[in-house]
Amino acid sequence: MPHWLLKTEPSEYSYDDLERDGSTLWNGISNALAQKHLRTFQLGDRAFLYHTGKEKAIVGIVEVTGPPEADSDAENDKAVAVRVKAVKRLPRPVILAEIKADPAFAEWELVKQARLSVMPCPATLWKKVVSLSKGA
DNA sequence: GCCAACGTTGGC
DNA sequence: GCCAACGTTGGC
């Protein structure tokens, strides 16, 4: 089961908002590579939610609750959106600085390609982030 | 607030 | 189809 990372600007839509809503349609993704990733999402896949802007931290885990569907808001009629639900907040946020400080993450798009908003998260990195979130 | 990185647009 | 100009994102 693949894992992912979704970015969001918390002043626009935060993990708090998702917890309040229960689930939301993750739409408005226009970048071609991000769309390519989004199209391969499957029911039950899990993703980290990352807050950009002031926070720059992975804050929680979400789960895909349906297959990719047409993003009816998008100008591009091939664009897809995916419904996700909140699973759990991480015990503590894992900030970008500590991710960058660890060479294990050096090849991850989160570090290498700052502007990509939907990306895969290799299983080893997933475990590492979860483990970091349990630390001090 | 600045700017590097990257994507998109449009003239040729 | 190339590439210069421009716009956007997001870290700093």
Side-chain angles (χ1 to χ4, degrees):
Chain A
M1 185 88 66
H3 292 89
W4 310 96
L5 181 141
L6 297 173
K7 284 188 186 175
T8 182
E9 168 53 51
S11 65
E12 310 251 321
Y13 196 86
S14 68
Y15 199 81
D16 280 338
D17 295 323
L18 182 60
E19 284 187 322
R20 183 200 60 216
D21 294 347
S23 79
T24 194
L25 188 62
W26 207 262
N27 61 6
I29 306 294
S30 54
N31 175 275
L33 183 55
Q35 271 290 325
K36 184 183 165 193
H37 292 317
L38 207 58
R39 273 194 291 274
T40 65
F41 277 37
Q42 292 179 36
L43 177 66
D45 285 358
R46 291 196 166 187
F48 287 130
L49 202 67
Y50 174 85
H51 282 177
T52 59
K54 276 180 69 179
E55 292 188 39
K56 293 186 276 295
I58 299 172
V59 296
I61 293 172
V62 307
E63 186 173 307
V64 176
T65 62
E69 56 189 276
D71 183 351
S72 54
D73 292 344
E75 290 184 23
N76 177 358
D77 55 11
K78 280 165 60 177
V80 297
V82 167
R83 183 158 289 278
V84 298
K85 68 175 182 185
V87 174
K88 63 178 178 186
R89 193 176 282 280
L90 293 180
R92 70 165 183 91
V94 177
I95 64 172
L96 183 61
E98 59 187 309
I99 288 168
K100 284 193 161 178
D102 188 331
F105 294 108
E107 297 302 309
W108 198 15
E109 288 92 330
L110 187 68
V111 172
K112 291 189 85 173
Q113 206 172 335
R115 293 176 56 188
L116 186 63
S117 59
V118 180
M119 70 190 71
C121 178
T124 51
L125 300 187
W126 181 274
K127 285 177 193 155
K128 219 164 158 57
V129 170
V130 169
S131 162
L132 282 170
S133 76
K134 291 173 179 163

